[in-house]
Amino acid sequence: MSYDGGKTFAVIHRELQYCFVGKKPSGTTNEVSVSSYTFDLPKDLPSSDKAIFAWSWVNASGNREFYMNCADVAIKGGSSNSYTGTEMVIANYGDFPLINEFNGNYENGMDLYKNAKRITVSPREV
C-alpha cells in the first residue's frame, strides 16, 4: 500500500514461493492451479481517498523479470494515522538485486523478503 503516489510501498499481505501452484511441486512446473487469493486489509490501515494498492511478483522461470500491477483505491474506516509493514521487495529490475531462476529451488531470493526493512507509510492529508 502506498500513500505517497507510489514512491514507497508497505506490504499488507504476502504470498511467497508457491503462489500459482499452491504447494511445493514435485518438479518444475508452469501449470497454474491457484488463480485467486482472498485476504483482509489490516484494520490499522489509515483512511485515504488517494492510496495505491499494488500486487507485485517475480517470475519463477524464464527471463528474470519483475511484475507489478497497481490500482488507485480509497480506504475507509481505518483505525490509525499510519501503517508499518515491510517495504515491498523489488528484484530483477534495473539495479535492484537479481533472484535466480527457481528451477525447483523455491528458497531462491527468500533472504530478500525475510530481510526487507520495516517502513511506515501514511496519507499526505494526515
Side-chain angles (χ1 to χ4, degrees):
M1 188 65 64
S2 177
Y3 291 96
D4 62 4
K7 293 178 187 149
T8 55
F9 284 89
V11 174
I12 59 173
H13 180 79
R14 214 178 236 164
E15 295 287 338
L16 295 174
Q17 296 176 303
Y18 317 116
C19 300
F20 295 114
V21 294
K23 62 182 179 177
K24 187 173 184 176
S26 58
T28 302
T29 181
N30 289 324
E31 188 172 319
V32 173
S33 59
V34 177
S35 60
S36 67
Y37 286 94
T38 301
F39 63 93
D40 294 325
L41 294 176
K43 292 183 185 340
D44 59 341
L45 277 179
S47 294
S48 176
D49 289 329
K50 297 179 181 178
I52 300 175
F53 175 84
W55 177 46
S56 65
W57 70 99
V58 173
N59 60 327
S61 62
N63 294 333
R64 307 316 313 132
E65 297 171 340
F66 175 81
Y67 296 92
M68 183 173 177
N69 290 318
C70 298
D72 293 327
V73 297
I75 305 292
K76 304 291 184 195
S79 66
S80 175
N81 290 330
S82 64
Y83 176 77
T84 299
T86 56
E87 185 173 38
M88 182 180 70
V89 170
I90 300 173
N92 300 351
Y93 179 79
D95 292 330
F96 289 94
L98 175 70
I99 297 175
N100 291 322
E101 199 167 356
F102 294 127
N103 290 324
N105 179 5
Y106 288 87
E107 290 301 314
N108 282 348
M110 287 301 105
D111 58 327
L112 293 174
Y113 295 93
K114 291 175 185 170
N115 297 321
K117 72 179 181 179
R118 294 188 60 75
I119 62 169
T120 298
V121 294
S122 61
R124 287 185 236 163
E125 59 265 17
V126 169

